[in-house]
Amino acid sequence: MFAWLEKNPFFFTIVFVAVFSVAGLVQIIPDFRKSSQPLEGLRPLTILETAGRNVYIKEGCYNCHSQLIREFKSEVMRYGMYSLSGEYAYDRPFLWGSKRTGPDLHRIGDRSSSDWHANHMYDPNSVVPKSIMPAYKHLYEKEVDFETAYAEALTQKEFFNVPYDVENLKTSVKLGTIDEARTYFKEEAQKVVEEMKNEITTQAFNDGKGKITEIVALIAYLNSLGSSRIVK
C-alpha cells in the first residue's frame, strides 16, 4: 500500500492532505471551543479603556508591539505569564500583532505605571535611551472620543453578550445610560490623570472643564493589559 502511494505522487498528496486535515481538526476544534469561553474572572474593558484601545489601533501600535506571549521559557521570563485563549474572549478585533519591533505588551499593565507611560509616550528617549519609538505628543492635546467608545461597548453588550451591568457578577463593568457612562468615564480618567503626574494632562483636565485627552485613555488601556482584568 505505502509502496504504491510512493510511486503515485498525486494519490500520495491526496492521502497526505486528508490525514493531515483530520489530525489538524482533532487538535484545533477542542481549542476553538475553549477559546469562546472567557477566562474565569475576566472583566470587559471599561469605556475609558475601550477608548484607549481605539487610540491604540488608530496609532498603529500593533504594528510594532504584539499582545501574545508564547509558552517559550525565554518569553515567559521576559514578558510574564504566557497568554491564555480565554483572555481574548471580549477582544474584537484581536490585537495579537505579527512582529516585535518593540516588546510584547500583553502584560504591560503588570510592569509599568501610569507615570512611566506618561513620560515614555511624551519623550521615549528620556525613559529608554536609544529608543526608536516615536514621540506621541499629539495625544496629550487631542480630546478622546467618548461617544464612539460608548457605542462600541453598547454594541458588545447587546450583540455579543459581553457582561456589562450584570448584577451579582463580579466581572461585569458598569455601563448604564450614556450620562451615567460619562460620569464613570470622568471618574476613571481622573484617577489616571492623578497617577500620570503630568502637567499637560492635569492642566487640560482641571482647566479644560474635565477635558480628557487621548493619552489618558491610552494609558488606561495599557494598564488593563495584565492581571488587572482578572477579578479575583
Side-chain angles (χ1 to χ4, degrees):
M1 175 65 177
F2 293 107
W4 181 84
L5 284 174
E6 290 176 357
K7 295 177 182 179
N8 294 272
F10 176 76
F11 292 105
F12 180 86
T13 301
I14 293 177
V15 172
F16 173 80
V17 171
V19 173
F20 186 81
S21 298
V22 171
L25 290 173
V26 169
Q27 178 69 33
I28 293 172
I29 289 177
D31 286 335
F32 267 108
R33 296 186 65 178
K34 290 179 183 178
S35 65
S36 63
Q37 300 300 317
L39 193 70
E40 183 178 359
L42 181 72
R43 67 165 178 80
L45 293 174
T46 64
I47 307 301
L48 183 65
E49 292 165 355
T50 299
R53 189 174 192 268
N54 290 339
V55 174
Y56 184 96
I57 294 172
K58 176 173 67 73
E59 295 296 329
C61 301
Y62 56 85
N63 290 317
C64 293
H65 296 281
S66 62
Q67 287 188 34
L68 181 64
I69 304 171
R70 296 171 293 183
E71 296 184 54
F72 300 136
K73 183 177 180 180
S74 59
E75 295 204 7
V76 173
M77 290 180 66
R78 182 177 183 184
Y79 302 123
M81 173 65 179
Y82 59 83
S83 304
L84 302 173
S85 59
E87 293 182 84
Y88 302 100
Y90 303 139
D91 289 357
R92 295 177 179 84
F94 301 123
L95 298 177
W96 292 327
S98 59
K99 63 179 296 188
R100 288 176 179 165
T101 302
D104 185 277
L105 300 181
H106 196 219
R107 307 291 180 202
I108 190 65
D110 299 333
R111 305 197 305 268
S112 302
S113 65
S114 298
D115 183 31
W116 187 92
H117 284 306
N119 291 299
H120 183 239
M121 298 293 291
Y122 192 80
D123 182 9
N125 283 284
S126 68
V127 179
V128 182
K130 298 183 180 181
S131 172
I132 63 172
M133 175 174 154
Y136 287 87
K137 295 182 180 180
H138 59 285
L139 300 182
Y140 292 73
E141 301 175 359
K142 187 175 181 180
E143 189 167 7
V144 71
D145 185 352
F146 164 79
E147 284 77 11
T148 297
Y150 178 78
E152 184 174 330
L154 192 62
T155 299
Q156 295 225 34
K157 175 185 176 182
E158 297 296 330
F159 293 96
F160 297 102
N161 298 317
V162 174
Y164 286 105
D165 296 326
V166 179
E167 294 184 6
N168 301 319
L169 183 62
K170 63 181 181 181
T171 58
S172 66
V173 173
K174 290 182 179 180
L175 187 60
T177 65
I178 190 168
D179 290 332
E180 291 172 333
R182 197 182 298 275
T183 298
Y184 303 143
F185 187 80
K186 290 182 178 179
E187 290 175 351
E188 184 181 357
Q190 183 175 10
K191 294 179 182 178
V192 177
V193 169
E194 292 172 354
E195 293 170 355
M196 287 173 64
K197 303 174 185 177
N198 179 271
E199 293 183 3
I200 299 175
T201 52
T202 300
Q203 183 175 358
F205 189 82
N206 293 334
D207 299 342
K209 297 180 180 180
K211 179 181 179 181
I212 302 169
T213 52
E214 290 188 331
I215 188 63
V216 177
L218 178 58
I219 290 177
Y221 172 63
L222 293 174
N223 287 342
S224 75
L225 298 176
S227 60
S228 63
R229 285 195 68 189
I230 309 299
V231 180
K232 303 298 182 181

